[in-house]
Amino acid sequence: AAGRSAAVGGRDGPAWRSWDAVLAITQHTRHAAEAEAGAAAALERMEARRDEAHAEVAAGRAVEGYRLLVELSEEAAGTPPERQLAKEVRALENDKEHREAIQAFKREREAAALLAEIQALFASGDERRAAAKLRSLLRRYDGTDAARRARELWPDQARRG
């Protein structure tokens, strides 16, 4: 059931892991046949998503292709294509042609994650830690969309930092 629900939700990595767990328990039942088919389908969908990411890179949209590959790589933990996806992500990060754009994307992503953490801290009432992280965000990620949003959300805090 977990494999079916993960596959329906478009989460192919968890689907494959669920089907693989079923295959580890049983080999010659109707459940095993369904698990074999489900695992193969999940691998095919992951391969299609990988091809889609490569097509984005080939079309000149390296950052979008990189984003798709990173998402797929994170989801594919514990699956057969995991190692190959990690190699492809590293190769794209080190590609001289796309390195600068990918680094800018990663910086924006890190800043957005820090902004989300700051928002959660302010919402929970931990203003001291939130203010410290806000200063860090404004100092380390100045010029990002997340820093601009933080200045809009907390103008008093931003002026103090």
Side-chain angles (χ1 to χ4, degrees), residues 31-50:
H31 299 294
E34 181 184 3
E36 286 174 354
L43 286 176
E44 288 173 16
R45 287 190 302 272
M46 282 192 278
E47 185 68 27
R49 288 172 56 198
R50 184 176 145 259

Side-chain angles (χ1 to χ4, degrees), residues 65-95:
Y66 174 79
R67 183 188 64 77
L68 292 171
L69 267 179
V70 167
E71 288 174 0
L72 181 58
S73 179
E74 290 169 354
E75 183 182 307
T79 66
E82 174 186 19
R83 293 179 79 187
Q84 182 61 33
L85 287 168
K87 287 180 187 177
E88 291 173 12
V89 166
R90 278 193 309 274
L92 197 52
E93 288 173 343
N94 294 327
D95 183 7

